[in-house]
Amino acid sequence: MYEFNYQKATSVADAASKLSAGTDTRLLAGGQTLIAAMKLRLAAPTDIIDISGITELRGIKAGNGGLVVGAMSTHAEVASSKDVKTRIPALAVLANSIGDPMVRNMGTIGGSIANNDPAADYPAALIGLDATVKTNQREITADDFFIGMFMTSLEPGEIIESVTFPTPKRAAYMKFSNPASRYAIVGVFVAETDNGVRVAVTGAGASVFRVPEMEKALTAKFSADAVAGISVASDDLNADIHASADYRAHLITVMAKRAVETAVAG
Ligand SMILES: Cc1cc2nc3c(=O)[nH]c(=O)nc-3n(C[C@H](O)[C@H](O)[C@H](O)COP(=O)(O)OP(=O)(O)OC[C@H]3O[C@@H](n4cnc5c(N)ncnc54)[C@H](O)[C@@H]3O)c2cc1C
């Protein structure tokens, strides 16, 4: 038996007050991770607060500071948004590469980054684009947000409201996908931003990480050749039935090269 109390929140403030209710209270966004974890008995919350009806968490807005994507924006909404396609096409490409149509129509950016699966795509975009996460309590830079495998700097009771992505000069995301789930075996997001070049890798390690050596080389010359000879040590990389650590290290260089080529081609 699944036994939990279900409540639907009407606003962020309402969700925040309901979050203090039970002994293990969880927010429910698209349910694509949480429901699966409950089915597998990996999670057994006492209370579920459904935030899918909160209108203030929805919508994608383009402004001077870049794109502000509401936490309840689905992957399909990000992939098809005119503003995303115009301002940051790489982000639309990334969102469209997530899972299958059901996952893209139900799963949300807030749920994805709160979960911080080591193979998730969005963490690479947030780090690559130097994004900022806005919660009901504060603003957190992407560099400070993702802190480890399935771990973020969110405090208990903290609710993600939106993510702000500054518009890059150019950017691209390349992913070597698991053919069944489409999670990243290795995904590399490369961006030339107003604050410099950023290279973010997902799928390869415990959590998303940057590659300073590639960033330095691309700052000197933004071309695929610049990263072709740079490899990441495989010592701390993931190894599983899909790919060895050495293979993942190899894929980082290949995906980085392809991402730069795509960014250069526009
Ligand atoms: C078959 C399958 C394939 C997939 N393939 C991919 C893939 O290729 N790439 C990829 O990146 N992902 C993939 N996913 C994951 C998918 O992207 C989910 O959308 C995502 O992991 C969770 O988002 P959600 O909205 O469903 O969150 P939920 O499952 O509802 O919640 C996940 C966690 O986030 C918390 N949470 C949700 N919203 C908030 C918020 N606003 N503030 C604070 N905490 C919050 C919840 O409490 C919960 O702990 C796949 C999933 C499935 C089932």
Side-chain angles (χ1 to χ4, degrees):
M1 280 279 290
Y2 304 106
E3 219 177 299
F4 56 86
N5 303 311
Y6 171 89
Q7 294 186 75
K8 194 151 186 169
T10 53
S11 65
V12 173
D14 183 37
S17 75
K18 288 183 162 72
L19 261 178
S20 55
T23 49
D24 181 5
T25 306
R26 303 283 288 273
L27 297 172
L28 176 69
Q32 295 304 291
T33 294
L34 183 56
I35 302 287
M38 289 169 70
K39 281 183 178 169
L40 293 166
R41 305 295 198 270
L42 295 171
T46 57
D47 293 73
I48 297 256
I49 314 299
D50 185 345
I51 55 172
S52 63
I54 303 179
T55 44
E56 64 198 284
L57 294 179
R58 294 203 168 268
I60 299 170
K61 294 181 203 87
N64 291 340
L67 283 173
V68 182
V69 180
M72 277 303 302
S73 303
T74 63
H75 312 327
E77 284 165 352
V78 174
S80 61
S81 156
K82 229 183 202 171
D83 285 327
V84 178
K85 284 182 181 174
T86 311
R87 302 262 188 134
I88 319 179
L91 187 60
V93 169
L94 177 146
N96 200 42
S97 79
I98 296 175
D100 51 45
M102 193 193 80
V103 171
R104 290 196 290 278
N105 280 289
M106 295 295 293
T108 66
I109 189 169
S112 175
I113 63 171
N115 192 49
N116 194 19
D117 189 302
D121 296 289
Y122 272 124
L126 267 75
I127 295 282
L129 291 165
D130 198 10
T132 302
V133 179
K134 183 175 180 299
T135 75
N136 58 334
Q137 295 173 18
R138 59 193 166 133
E139 293 194 347
I140 313 168
T141 62
D143 285 334
D144 291 335
F145 185 82
F146 302 104
I147 57 176
M149 186 177 280
F150 294 109
M151 283 168 61
T152 69
S153 54
L154 287 173
E155 297 289 344
E158 203 164 3
I159 301 170
I160 300 165
E161 293 186 342
S162 62
V163 181
T164 300
F165 294 96
T167 311
K169 292 178 187 157
R170 46 189 171 177
Y173 180 61
M174 278 292 149
K175 167 163 78 160
F176 191 83
S177 312
N178 176 318
S181 67
R182 295 185 80 201
Y183 272 111
I185 291 176
V186 168
V188 179
F189 200 103
V190 172
E192 191 179 12
T193 75
D194 286 340
N195 298 324
V197 176
R198 296 170 72 95
V199 177
V201 177
T202 190
S207 181
V208 60
F209 62 88
R210 291 171 67 184
V211 187
E213 209 185 337
M214 287 188 179
E215 293 178 350
K216 202 172 152 205
L218 289 170
T219 303
K221 184 178 173 227
F222 197 86
S223 87
D225 312 346
V227 291
I230 300 175
S231 48
V232 170
S234 61
D235 309 4
D236 295 327
L237 298 187
N238 299 334
D240 54 27
I241 56 164
H242 305 297
S244 67
D246 283 344
Y247 186 47
R248 279 188 162 86
H250 169 75
L251 283 174
I252 292 172
T253 307
V254 175
M255 293 300 121
K257 262 171 51 188
R258 290 185 190 168
V260 176
E261 272 162 11
T262 307
V264 168

